[in-house]
Amino acid sequence: MRKSGIDRPWKRPGAAAYARRRITTALRPPVTVYPMPPDVTKDEDVPVRMRDGVTLRLNLFRPAGDGPFPVLLSAHPYGKDSVPKRKRGGWSLNPQFRIMNQPAPLRISDQTSWEAPDPVWWARQGYAVVNLDTRGGGRSEGRGDLLSDEEADDIGQVIAWAAEQPWCNGRVGMLGVSYLALSQYKVAALNPPALKAICPWEGFTDAYRDLFTPGGVVENGFARVWLLLTGRAARLKTDLAAGRREHPLRDTWWESLTPRLSEITVPILVCTSFSDSNLHSVGSMRAFQHVGSTERHAYTHRGPKWATFYGEEARRAQLAFFERHLRERDVPPLPRVRLEIRDRLDHVVQVRDEREWPLARTDWRRLQLAGEGTLIEGEDEGGTGSVTFDLRRDAAVFDHRFGEDTELSGPMTLRLRVATTGATDPRLFAGIEKWSHGTPVPFEGSYGYGRDLVAQGRLRLALRELDPVLSTPHQPEHTFRTLQPVRDGEEVDVLIPLSPSATLFHAGDRLRLVVAGRYPRPRNPFFGHFPTHYRPSASGKATILWSPGHTSALEIPVIPKG
């Protein structure tokens, strides 16, 4: 049976050119900064007193005129005053613009803090903008508690305060990326009367499943960096790093960090990017699928995160959404799903409107794992066979060639019958690649990584128990509550859900399935997936098996033509 070594990205075509671009953008991020004009009013460190006596502080930006204006609020622990500063010869930027690769240019004002809406741009559209230091962050008092009910209650009080101000029309919305998206879910579930719409732009919804322990596998790359940076930026009373070590299974502690999506009823525009599968993609799509909002919209894309958020097309969608719900203007509603399909990193094949996710007309097909490293369409077509590989050094590889142009838009699921030997607590990593003319086709990925897979997933085999309540026919979910250790040589059936994607394969292109015992990309910041790192299998071998009645297969979402 066919197997290969773990991928060595630096040996692939284009690796050197990618490394050069990565170094260039780290030294000189393609970020243009413009100064705040005099027609925008800024009030710094406006105090808002909480019920318990703690004072939070915010920066308020208002357009010219008396108003009243609708309000856009962002809330985060990173420091509202951490903005570009004029220095000799240019602007000093937030270090994250260098740490996280910026593959495309973007333009922001000198009042824009990390992943927050540009307050100058929004003020010029007629909005008052509130940038809030959450409790313990920046210049706000107290000690914060990230992802907590207390944080949501604080934000709810600030929303009520803003709605009562003479310059506000009584209607408040929330907007922001990453943590500035996460902070929206819990407060929206409280349904404060003045909160009329939210726009979480790429924000996970389950800290265990999406960030810290996806697939039951500990992520100790980005998660460690993020915990370190937030610990330095804010005064916190809960140590999330210690908490995750003390709670390796998804118990009530993790549930306390998870928003109740079904209780969110305000209109929501959620960015469900396909280019952030190591962090936000799965959770943001979960938000779209599970919120209780009657009016909900998903904006999908596979472009660079920050350039897209501050780009013209995304801003048009955000503005239309808020004009409808914060100004109550007669603006047509956005499509339920804005679906963007790509065939490579830098080429959009089509953008079209859809009504749901997954698409109702999806033709769910199974590609059976078979001999000679092939994937064969059809039930029980794979015959009987197996492939064995070293969990630390090798990978099992299977290819399927498309005979005609084929769009795969939706989640994929890998079903494996597997046995391990000599392995201590094994885990499997699955990735989907696109190959064309004998070379891999890259896509945009998390943290600005420009050589990403089409889709990916992972599973700690001891946490393979499925959740019968959360699972759906094409989107399995695991409980992560019960350890079921795998005995040496024991054959077990596992399901590995893969991240959502929307990709066109042209006739002759190949879909490649790679299964390994560790994440098949290095952390190297030049050509690897920095700072991503998942705890790998420690030792041993894995054998994937298939036979009639016990198939191993990849389910793919084929979208019919026409």
Side-chain angles (χ1 to χ4, degrees), residues 78 100 114-115 147 176-183 185 200-207 209-212 214 222 226 270-288 299 301 305-306 445-447 456 458 499-500 534:
Y78 301 143
M100 307 299 177
W114 177 246
E115 298 189 316
L147 304 175
V177 180
S178 193
Y179 198 90
L180 290 76
L182 309 182
S183 62
Y185 295 126
W201 201 265
E202 301 192 37
F204 67 73
T205 49
D206 190 312
R209 289 188 167 97
D210 302 334
L211 169 59
F212 290 111
F222 173 79
W226 181 73
V270 54
C271 177
T272 58
S273 159
F274 298 131
S275 50
D276 205 8
S277 57
N278 294 83
L279 182 56
H280 293 308
S281 292
V282 173
S284 54
M285 188 61 81
R286 186 188 298 114
F288 170 72
Y299 187 104
H301 72 88
K305 176 186 291 190
W306 302 280
S446 297
Y447 324 124
Q456 60 175 292
R458 59 207 62 79
S499 53
Y534 298 96

Side-chain angles (χ1 to χ4, degrees), residues 26-59:
L27 295 174
R28 294 185 178 178
V31 179
T32 301
V33 180
Y34 66 96
M36 182 174 68
D39 62 342
V40 176
T41 300
K42 178 183 179 182
D43 298 321
E44 295 188 42
D45 286 335
V46 178
V48 183
R49 190 176 176 85
M50 300 291 100
R51 283 187 295 268
D52 63 359
V54 170
T55 296
L56 305 187
R57 291 185 172 85
L58 58 88
N59 288 342

Side-chain angles (χ1 to χ4, degrees), residues 3-16 18 390-397 433 435 440 449 451 453 512 514-524 526-529:
K3 68 178 181 180
S4 72
I6 294 289
D7 185 42
R8 303 292 190 262
W10 57 91
K11 293 184 178 180
R12 289 187 169 186
Y18 176 79
D390 188 284
L391 285 165
R392 290 285 289 176
R393 295 191 298 271
D394 297 317
V397 176
E433 297 179 336
W435 284 66
Y449 181 53
R451 299 167 68 78
L453 306 162
R512 173 165 291 181
V514 180
V515 183
R518 65 179 177 90
Y519 189 61
R521 296 290 187 270
R523 293 175 72 181
N524 186 293
F526 302 113
F527 43 73
H529 200 170

Side-chain angles (χ1 to χ4, degrees), residues 98-117:
R98 303 180 189 279
I99 297 171
M100 307 299 177
N101 187 33
Q102 307 294 321
L106 59 97
R107 184 172 185 267
I108 56 175
S109 77
D110 61 355
Q111 301 301 313
T112 308
S113 57
W114 177 246
E115 298 189 316

Side-chain angles (χ1 to χ4, degrees), residues 100-155:
M100 307 299 177
N101 187 33
Q102 307 294 321
L106 59 97
R107 184 172 185 267
I108 56 175
S109 77
D110 61 355
Q111 301 301 313
T112 308
S113 57
W114 177 246
E115 298 189 316
D118 181 344
V120 171
W121 190 90
W122 282 99
R124 290 193 147 185
Q125 313 309 311
Y127 287 77
V129 180
V130 169
N131 191 351
L132 173 69
D133 280 333
T134 53
R135 185 179 294 241
R139 297 182 181 175
S140 287
E141 297 176 355
R143 296 178 67 83
D145 197 2
L146 300 180
L147 304 175
S148 68
D149 293 340
E150 178 187 58
E151 180 181 78
D153 183 62
D154 282 348
I155 298 170

Side-chain angles (χ1 to χ4, degrees), residues 293-511:
S293 308
T294 301
E295 190 156 342
R296 53 182 165 172
H297 312 277
Y299 187 104
T300 77
H301 72 88
R302 189 137 201 192
K305 176 186 291 190
W306 302 280
T308 299
F309 175 66
Y310 295 109
E312 181 181 352
E313 187 174 359
R315 276 180 170 168
R316 283 202 307 267
Q318 296 161 16
L319 181 59
F321 176 71
F322 287 123
E323 290 284 276
R324 178 176 173 83
H325 298 293
L326 299 189
R327 289 191 191 275
E328 299 183 283
R329 289 182 172 173
D330 187 17
V331 177
L334 295 173
R336 180 59 69 95
V337 178
R338 180 240 192 222
L339 184 62
E340 177 190 283
I341 301 97
R342 297 200 180 207
D343 60 357
R344 62 176 187 267
L345 172 77
D346 57 353
H347 184 242
V348 177
V349 175
Q350 185 184 19
V351 176
R352 64 172 187 263
D353 297 348
E354 296 288 353
R355 296 186 59 82
E356 71 285 309
W357 186 269
L359 307 189
R361 65 183 184 281
T362 302
D363 177 11
W364 299 97
R365 299 183 189 175
R366 284 193 173 186
L367 302 179
Q368 310 289 334
L369 277 62
E372 304 303 320
T374 57
L375 292 167
I376 300 176
E377 188 175 340
E379 293 294 329
D380 289 334
E381 294 293 333
T384 299
S386 65
V387 59
T388 299
F389 59 96
D390 188 284
L391 285 165
R392 290 285 289 176
R393 295 191 298 271
D394 297 317
V397 176
F398 301 85
D399 284 348
H400 175 78
R401 180 183 179 278
F402 290 99
E404 60 180 2
D405 288 3
T406 304
E407 178 189 330
L408 302 186
S409 289
M412 303 185 202
T413 302
L414 180 61
R415 178 185 296 273
L416 295 178
R417 189 167 185 83
V418 62
T420 60
T421 55
T424 302
D425 199 10
R427 61 277 328 257
L428 293 179
F429 296 79
I432 303 298
E433 297 179 336
K434 177 182 175 179
W435 284 66
S436 183
H437 303 290
T439 60
V441 178
F443 291 87
E444 184 73 18
S446 297
Y447 324 124
Y449 181 53
R451 299 167 68 78
D452 202 26
L453 306 162
V454 172
Q456 60 175 292
R458 59 207 62 79
L459 181 65
R460 181 183 173 192
L461 299 191
L463 291 175
R464 62 190 180 276
E465 179 185 65
L466 290 173
D467 189 319
V469 176
L470 296 179
S471 296
T472 61
H474 307 291
Q475 293 181 279
E477 291 268 19
H478 298 87
T479 65
F480 303 117
R481 288 181 177 274
T482 306
L483 281 173
Q484 297 176 322
V486 180
R487 296 188 296 273
D488 223 37
E490 176 188 10
E491 294 183 11
V492 296
D493 293 309
V494 298
L495 287 177
I496 305 177
L498 306 184
S499 53
S501 58
T503 308
L504 178 66
F505 289 77
H506 296 284
D509 289 345
R510 292 182 181 273
L511 177 154

